[in-house]
Amino acid sequence: MATSRRRLTPRKKTQKTTKPLGGLAIFSVSDTARRALALEQAGSVKVLFWLVLLMGWLFAMLTAASLGVQLQLNQWRTTQLKQLTLYLPYDTSAQESDDVLDVLLTYPDVNTTRQQSRTQVEAQLGYIPELDSMVGLPLPQVIDLEVATAEFDGENLRQQITEIVPDAMLTDRRQAVQSIVQSVRFVQLGAFVLQLLIAVVLAITVSLSVVAGLRALARNLSVLQVVGATDSFLSQMVIRRVLINTVMGAGVAAGAAVVLTLLLQMWLHVSWQAVLLPSLAVGVFSVVLLPVLAAAVAGIQTKQLLKLGLDA
């Protein structure tokens, strides 16, 4: 029985080369590297989610509140600066009152005039009714004016009125408005300082978390470096994990800020388009700054730690 023999030819051995795990290699070996560099299992990195959630919510609310107060303050300031009050002495005659009203009605920058009733004057001046029967003090005439612009200069109008009634007094609310504006500026400055403290605390926490996480995985890092992982590649993996945790926390924080702001709007009754919507949009957008800050701090801290060594 004849048997056929086939000639076996040896296969050529292919030489395998190991390339450094850097650059575009992150897309092909990211799963392997992720399992080796399991930062998501480190408690120090997990805490970043909750930290950004709480701080991001506070950061967004402070931003939205500061901008909302500023927009509302601008509207209120413009309205108040358009309001003037004219006080005529109690002994002003009817003819003098009519002449003053004629000046007000014909003055080009005066839009509306309204004379206050006796009850309104008593409430404004803190008048005590018993004094009227005891000493017979009559009340002055009070006329509210609304002018065209907030930059109205009432000196010319004041001169025309005092020519008719020398003791008349025309007042505006500039000093009171300026005092309130300065108080609001001080509160906004406090909110800005608090936001800076939030950013500093977040940066310090991210730095400490990255150091603790990498030192806990020092053996895995050594293995990755032996097989060719570059410092840049390892930094990218750390930044990726920090971004995932912080972006998730920032997203939940932004949602919580939106819900709370909508609930407050039902109580405060502020303008939706002019105040609430712009301040809410800027507040939610400001939360994005926290993951960006965390990623930058994580990248810088990782590169420094790998350069100096994990034992430094």
Side-chain angles (χ1 to χ4, degrees), residues 113-284:
T113 59
R114 183 179 63 86
Q115 186 167 0
Q116 294 186 9
S117 63
R118 181 180 180 86
T119 303
Q120 292 174 331
V121 175
E122 290 177 353
Q124 182 177 355
L125 300 179
Y127 187 76
I128 302 176
E130 287 75 7
L131 293 178
D132 191 22
S133 58
M134 293 173 59
V135 297
L137 293 177
L139 297 178
Q141 301 180 36
V142 182
I143 302 175
D144 293 327
L145 312 177
E146 183 179 345
V147 295
T149 62
E151 293 77 18
F152 175 77
D153 185 7
E155 187 60 30
N156 187 23
L157 178 61
R158 185 178 291 106
Q159 291 179 358
Q160 295 186 30
I161 294 175
T162 53
E163 289 178 358
I164 302 172
V165 182
D167 294 331
M169 184 173 56
L170 181 64
T171 63
D172 55 29
R173 305 177 185 179
R174 295 185 183 276
Q175 292 184 352
V177 169
Q178 188 64 26
S179 177
I180 295 176
V181 169
Q182 291 178 354
S183 301
V184 173
R185 293 283 188 272
F186 181 77
V187 174
Q188 289 176 326
L189 179 61
F192 178 72
V193 171
L194 184 57
Q195 287 178 310
L196 289 180
L197 291 177
I198 291 175
V200 172
V201 171
L202 178 63
I204 294 175
T205 306
V206 169
S207 178
L208 296 177
S209 299
V210 169
V211 172
L214 291 180
R215 286 181 176 174
L217 300 171
R219 180 175 299 179
N220 295 0
L221 279 175
S222 300
V223 173
L224 289 174
Q225 289 175 334
V226 168
V227 299
T230 62
D231 292 352
S232 177
F233 172 77
L234 295 175
S235 298
Q236 291 176 16
M237 295 304 299
V238 173
I239 292 173
R240 176 178 178 271
R241 173 46 52 186
V242 171
L243 271 178
I244 291 175
N245 285 19
T246 54
V247 167
M248 290 174 58
V252 178
V258 171
V259 173
L260 182 59
T261 304
L262 293 178
L263 293 177
L264 289 176
Q265 193 272 340
M266 300 173 59
W267 175 59
L268 295 176
H269 301 289
V270 297
S271 175
W272 171 259
Q273 294 182 349
V275 177
L276 188 62
L277 187 59
S279 59
L280 183 59
V282 174
V284 171

Side-chain angles (χ1 to χ4, degrees), residues 51-111:
L51 181 68
V52 174
L53 193 157
L54 296 176
M55 289 189 171
W57 172 79
L58 182 58
F59 197 90
M61 294 303 298
L62 288 173
T63 303
S66 297
L67 182 58
V69 168
Q70 183 60 47
L71 295 175
Q72 192 73 19
L73 180 65
N74 292 340
Q75 294 181 354
W76 176 83
R77 179 178 178 273
T78 301
T79 302
Q80 293 299 315
L81 291 180
K82 290 182 180 180
Q83 306 296 324
L84 283 77
T85 303
L86 175 62
Y87 296 91
L88 298 178
Y90 67 93
D91 57 352
T92 303
S93 64
Q95 182 62 41
E96 291 175 337
S97 299
D98 293 339
D99 293 341
V100 170
L101 289 177
D102 290 338
V103 171
L104 297 177
L105 293 175
T106 57
Y107 201 83
D109 291 331
V110 177
N111 291 338

